[in-house]
Short mmCIF file of all heavy atoms in Angstrom, two decimals:
data_model
loop_
_atom_site.label_atom_id
_atom_site.label_comp_id
_atom_site.label_asym_id
_atom_site.label_seq_id
_atom_site.Cartn_x
_atom_site.Cartn_y
_atom_site.Cartn_z
N CYS A 160 -28.15 -7.72 -19.22
CA CYS A 160 -29.55 -8.08 -18.80
C CYS A 160 -30.20 -6.84 -18.34
O CYS A 160 -29.57 -6.00 -17.61
CB CYS A 160 -29.45 -9.05 -17.60
SG CYS A 160 -28.48 -10.49 -17.76
N THR A 161 -31.40 -6.58 -18.74
CA THR A 161 -32.15 -5.40 -18.28
C THR A 161 -33.46 -5.83 -17.61
O THR A 161 -34.10 -6.73 -18.06
CB THR A 161 -32.46 -4.41 -19.46
OG1 THR A 161 -33.13 -5.13 -20.45
CG2 THR A 161 -31.26 -3.74 -19.99
N ASP A 162 -33.79 -5.15 -16.50
CA ASP A 162 -34.96 -5.50 -15.78
C ASP A 162 -36.21 -5.27 -16.60
O ASP A 162 -37.19 -5.98 -16.55
CB ASP A 162 -35.08 -4.64 -14.48
CG ASP A 162 -33.96 -4.95 -13.46
OD1 ASP A 162 -33.37 -6.02 -13.63
OD2 ASP A 162 -33.68 -4.11 -12.63
N ASP A 163 -36.15 -4.17 -17.42
CA ASP A 163 -37.36 -3.83 -18.23
C ASP A 163 -37.33 -4.47 -19.62
O ASP A 163 -38.22 -4.20 -20.41
CB ASP A 163 -37.50 -2.34 -18.35
CG ASP A 163 -36.44 -1.66 -19.22
OD1 ASP A 163 -35.52 -2.40 -19.64
OD2 ASP A 163 -36.55 -0.45 -19.50
N GLY A 164 -36.31 -5.24 -19.88
CA GLY A 164 -36.24 -5.97 -21.19
C GLY A 164 -35.94 -5.06 -22.36
O GLY A 164 -36.09 -5.44 -23.51
N SER A 165 -35.41 -3.81 -22.12
CA SER A 165 -35.18 -2.85 -23.18
C SER A 165 -33.93 -3.24 -24.02
O SER A 165 -33.73 -2.73 -25.14
CB SER A 165 -35.09 -1.44 -22.69
OG SER A 165 -34.16 -1.36 -21.66
N ALA A 166 -33.08 -4.11 -23.52
CA ALA A 166 -31.90 -4.60 -24.27
C ALA A 166 -31.40 -5.92 -23.60
O ALA A 166 -31.62 -6.16 -22.44
CB ALA A 166 -30.81 -3.61 -24.32
N GLY A 167 -30.79 -6.78 -24.44
CA GLY A 167 -30.20 -8.01 -23.87
C GLY A 167 -31.21 -8.92 -23.29
O GLY A 167 -32.38 -8.95 -23.77
N PHE A 168 -30.80 -9.71 -22.28
CA PHE A 168 -31.71 -10.65 -21.67
C PHE A 168 -32.76 -9.95 -20.87
O PHE A 168 -32.39 -8.95 -20.13
CB PHE A 168 -30.88 -11.56 -20.75
CG PHE A 168 -31.67 -12.58 -19.95
CD1 PHE A 168 -32.08 -13.80 -20.53
CD2 PHE A 168 -32.01 -12.25 -18.68
CE1 PHE A 168 -32.84 -14.66 -19.73
CE2 PHE A 168 -32.76 -13.15 -17.88
CZ PHE A 168 -33.12 -14.34 -18.43
N SER A 169 -33.99 -10.29 -20.94
CA SER A 169 -35.02 -9.59 -20.18
C SER A 169 -35.19 -10.21 -18.80
O SER A 169 -35.65 -11.32 -18.68
CB SER A 169 -36.35 -9.70 -20.94
OG SER A 169 -37.35 -9.05 -20.20
N GLY A 170 -34.68 -9.49 -17.80
CA GLY A 170 -34.71 -10.01 -16.43
C GLY A 170 -33.39 -9.73 -15.73
O GLY A 170 -32.45 -9.16 -16.33
N SER A 171 -33.30 -10.13 -14.48
CA SER A 171 -32.11 -9.83 -13.69
C SER A 171 -30.92 -10.71 -14.08
O SER A 171 -31.10 -11.75 -14.79
CB SER A 171 -32.38 -10.07 -12.21
OG SER A 171 -32.53 -11.48 -11.99
N SER A 172 -29.73 -10.38 -13.67
CA SER A 172 -28.56 -11.14 -13.96
C SER A 172 -28.68 -12.58 -13.40
O SER A 172 -28.23 -13.50 -13.94
CB SER A 172 -27.30 -10.47 -13.51
OG SER A 172 -27.41 -10.06 -12.15
N VAL A 173 -29.33 -12.67 -12.24
CA VAL A 173 -29.46 -14.04 -11.60
C VAL A 173 -30.53 -14.82 -12.30
O VAL A 173 -30.37 -16.03 -12.50
CB VAL A 173 -29.80 -13.88 -10.09
CG1 VAL A 173 -29.95 -15.22 -9.47
CG2 VAL A 173 -28.67 -13.10 -9.39
N ALA A 174 -31.56 -14.17 -12.89
CA ALA A 174 -32.47 -14.90 -13.75
C ALA A 174 -31.78 -15.38 -14.95
O ALA A 174 -32.06 -16.56 -15.42
CB ALA A 174 -33.71 -14.03 -14.15
N TYR A 175 -30.83 -14.66 -15.44
CA TYR A 175 -30.02 -15.14 -16.58
C TYR A 175 -29.23 -16.39 -16.23
O TYR A 175 -29.14 -17.33 -16.92
CB TYR A 175 -29.07 -14.01 -17.11
CG TYR A 175 -28.19 -14.52 -18.22
CD1 TYR A 175 -28.64 -14.81 -19.50
CD2 TYR A 175 -26.83 -14.80 -17.96
CE1 TYR A 175 -27.84 -15.30 -20.47
CE2 TYR A 175 -26.01 -15.31 -18.90
CZ TYR A 175 -26.52 -15.60 -20.18
OH TYR A 175 -25.70 -16.12 -21.18
N LEU A 176 -28.53 -16.30 -15.02
CA LEU A 176 -27.79 -17.49 -14.55
C LEU A 176 -28.70 -18.71 -14.48
O LEU A 176 -28.32 -19.83 -14.86
CB LEU A 176 -27.24 -17.22 -13.15
CG LEU A 176 -26.18 -16.15 -12.95
CD1 LEU A 176 -25.71 -16.07 -11.53
CD2 LEU A 176 -24.96 -16.34 -13.91
N GLU A 177 -29.89 -18.49 -13.98
CA GLU A 177 -30.90 -19.63 -13.89
C GLU A 177 -31.28 -20.21 -15.29
O GLU A 177 -31.64 -21.36 -15.39
CB GLU A 177 -32.10 -19.20 -13.13
CG GLU A 177 -31.82 -19.17 -11.61
CD GLU A 177 -32.80 -18.31 -10.79
OE1 GLU A 177 -33.66 -17.62 -11.38
OE2 GLU A 177 -32.68 -18.34 -9.53
N SER A 178 -31.16 -19.35 -16.33
CA SER A 178 -31.52 -19.82 -17.65
C SER A 178 -30.36 -20.57 -18.30
O SER A 178 -30.58 -21.19 -19.37
CB SER A 178 -31.92 -18.63 -18.55
OG SER A 178 -30.74 -17.93 -18.96
N LEU A 179 -29.18 -20.54 -17.72
CA LEU A 179 -28.01 -21.19 -18.30
C LEU A 179 -28.11 -22.68 -18.12
O LEU A 179 -28.52 -23.18 -17.09
CB LEU A 179 -26.70 -20.68 -17.72
CG LEU A 179 -26.19 -19.30 -18.07
CD1 LEU A 179 -24.95 -19.00 -17.22
CD2 LEU A 179 -25.90 -19.20 -19.55
N SER A 180 -27.59 -23.43 -19.10
CA SER A 180 -27.45 -24.88 -18.91
C SER A 180 -26.08 -25.13 -18.35
O SER A 180 -25.12 -25.25 -19.10
CB SER A 180 -27.68 -25.57 -20.22
OG SER A 180 -27.53 -26.93 -20.03
N LEU A 181 -26.02 -25.19 -17.02
CA LEU A 181 -24.67 -25.25 -16.37
C LEU A 181 -23.90 -26.53 -16.79
O LEU A 181 -22.68 -26.55 -16.77
CB LEU A 181 -24.82 -25.20 -14.84
CG LEU A 181 -25.29 -23.85 -14.32
CD1 LEU A 181 -25.54 -23.92 -12.82
CD2 LEU A 181 -24.35 -22.69 -14.62
N LYS A 182 -24.66 -27.58 -17.10
CA LYS A 182 -23.99 -28.89 -17.44
C LYS A 182 -23.14 -28.73 -18.69
O LYS A 182 -22.20 -29.49 -18.90
CB LYS A 182 -25.08 -29.95 -17.70
CG LYS A 182 -25.67 -30.41 -16.35
CD LYS A 182 -26.44 -31.76 -16.66
CE LYS A 182 -27.48 -32.02 -15.61
NZ LYS A 182 -28.77 -31.44 -16.02
N GLU A 183 -23.50 -27.78 -19.53
CA GLU A 183 -22.73 -27.57 -20.77
C GLU A 183 -21.45 -26.78 -20.56
O GLU A 183 -20.58 -26.62 -21.49
CB GLU A 183 -23.62 -26.93 -21.87
CG GLU A 183 -24.63 -27.82 -22.38
CD GLU A 183 -25.71 -27.10 -23.23
OE1 GLU A 183 -25.46 -26.00 -23.67
OE2 GLU A 183 -26.82 -27.68 -23.34
N LEU A 184 -21.32 -26.20 -19.35
CA LEU A 184 -20.12 -25.41 -19.07
C LEU A 184 -19.06 -26.26 -18.32
O LEU A 184 -19.45 -27.06 -17.46
CB LEU A 184 -20.46 -24.18 -18.24
CG LEU A 184 -21.46 -23.21 -18.86
CD1 LEU A 184 -21.77 -22.12 -17.82
CD2 LEU A 184 -20.88 -22.59 -20.10
N SER A 185 -17.82 -26.03 -18.61
CA SER A 185 -16.76 -26.80 -17.92
C SER A 185 -16.55 -26.17 -16.51
O SER A 185 -16.11 -24.98 -16.39
CB SER A 185 -15.45 -26.74 -18.72
OG SER A 185 -14.39 -27.19 -17.91
N GLN A 186 -16.90 -26.91 -15.48
CA GLN A 186 -16.67 -26.46 -14.07
C GLN A 186 -16.97 -25.01 -13.81
O GLN A 186 -15.98 -24.24 -13.58
CB GLN A 186 -15.27 -26.84 -13.61
CG GLN A 186 -14.97 -28.30 -13.69
CD GLN A 186 -13.53 -28.63 -13.23
OE1 GLN A 186 -12.97 -27.97 -12.34
NE2 GLN A 186 -12.91 -29.60 -13.84
N PRO A 187 -18.19 -24.53 -13.87
CA PRO A 187 -18.50 -23.16 -13.64
C PRO A 187 -18.06 -22.70 -12.24
O PRO A 187 -18.17 -23.40 -11.31
CB PRO A 187 -19.95 -23.05 -13.80
CG PRO A 187 -20.50 -24.39 -13.91
CD PRO A 187 -19.40 -25.36 -14.12
#
Side-chain angles (χ1 to χ4, degrees):
C160 308
T161 52
D162 295 340
D163 70 353
S165 53
F168 177 83
S169 177
S171 70
S172 48
V173 179
Y175 175 73
L176 294 182
E177 281 160 355
S178 77
L179 286 177
S180 179
L181 293 176
K182 283 197 204 90
E183 286 168 22
L184 300 175
S185 166
Q186 300 182 33

